[in-house]
Amino acid sequence: QGNFYLERNTQPDERKAIEFYTQATELDPRYALAWSKLSRTWIGLSEEFLEGAPAQDASVKARLAAERALVLSPDLAAAHVARGQVLQSVELDWRGAEAEFRRATELAPNDGPAKLYLGIQLATFGDVPQAIKLTQEALSIDPLQAQWYNWLANFYSALNRLDEAERAIRRGIELQPDAAIYQFQLSVIEIQRGNAEAALAAAEREVSAVWKDIALALARQIGADRSAADAALKTLIEKHAANAAYQIAEVYALRGDAN
């Protein structure tokens, strides 16, 4: 049940997944896989939907759950993936995260999440072609993982392979029409194409409030209405400066303001 709700990738569903994973650990405190999934869900919730103290609290819970999973089962690939995500997203120890993801792939060569997150980490270091390869391998193992198509689209977009990026994200949207961030990713692709109307339309369809504001601020910058572009940036800063500093910088970069 936890897995079902986790893969739906909305805030209410991720909270429901946490409830089920927590129940599983209460029924069996030595259930390392449940602790691993609980950790990963806290990370996802924190990254996508939370900010400030709630995000910090979620990160602490993710770290404790990952540590518990590794103590219970040191050779469980999922536990190493969970620990890698904590190192990646909370502690910013990217080399440590890479080591954890590599260990997970050694323990379970056909584990889709291990391949995916190793790819994400390698993309962080600039090896985007290898990230694409690993994500494709992960999807060959589990082709119904909508969120993985989002990552694949992100990697193709980074290489300006926009038609491939669009096909990937539209597959993700087909699988999960109401999931967060997918319309944001489509909006980014249209921005790269210079298609202001399509970029704005995709941004308007984004279901996550913060990612919608980010997408709108980005999409408005390539449109003709400069007052709307200024207003969208102002809204983004006023509402999300605490947790979207990088994205605000992206908007300024799109405006040509390097300072």
Side-chain angles (χ1 to χ4, degrees), residues 206-250:
E206 175 55 51
V207 299
S208 165
V210 59
W211 288 105
K212 181 175 183 177
D213 286 339
I214 294 167
L216 288 171
L218 288 166
R220 289 289 188 189
Q221 305 313 310
I222 66 168
D225 189 339
R226 301 319 301 162
S227 63
D230 293 342
L233 174 57
K234 184 174 183 290
T235 297
L236 180 61
I237 293 171
E238 289 177 349
K239 293 174 65 176
H240 307 294
N243 69 322
Y246 180 84
Q247 287 77 18
I248 292 169
E250 286 184 309

Side-chain angles (χ1 to χ4, degrees), residues 98-150:
E98 180 187 0
E100 291 291 342
F101 297 140
R102 288 194 184 279
R103 179 59 178 152
T105 60
E106 291 170 0
L107 291 166
N110 291 320
D111 185 81
K115 287 180 179 289
L116 174 77
Y117 283 101
L118 177 57
I120 293 170
Q121 195 55 63
L122 292 178
T124 302
F125 295 130
D127 192 352
V128 181
Q130 183 65 13
I132 290 173
K133 178 178 180 293
L134 286 165
T135 306
Q136 289 173 330
E137 290 176 2
L139 283 165
S140 72
I141 297 167
D142 190 350
L144 298 181
Q145 287 282 353
Q147 193 172 25
W148 299 1
Y149 287 101
N150 181 46

Side-chain angles (χ1 to χ4, degrees), residues 130-210:
Q130 183 65 13
I132 290 173
K133 178 178 180 293
L134 286 165
T135 306
Q136 289 173 330
E137 290 176 2
L139 283 165
S140 72
I141 297 167
D142 190 350
L144 298 181
Q145 287 282 353
Q147 193 172 25
W148 299 1
Y149 287 101
N150 181 46
W151 279 111
L152 184 60
N154 187 39
F155 300 146
Y156 278 134
S157 177
L159 296 181
N160 208 37
R161 294 164 61 176
L162 301 182
D163 290 345
E164 292 164 290
E166 182 181 355
R167 283 195 294 272
I169 196 59
R170 288 197 181 280
R171 178 57 175 153
I173 293 169
E174 179 185 357
L175 289 168
Q176 290 184 330
D178 298 323
I181 305 182
Y182 298 177
Q183 294 292 341
F184 165 82
Q185 184 63 51
L186 182 59
S187 181
V188 168
I189 293 166
E190 296 298 349
I191 290 168
Q192 289 178 269
R193 287 173 169 157
N195 191 336
E197 183 177 350
L200 188 60
E204 292 284 4
R205 293 193 297 269
E206 175 55 51
V207 299
S208 165
V210 59

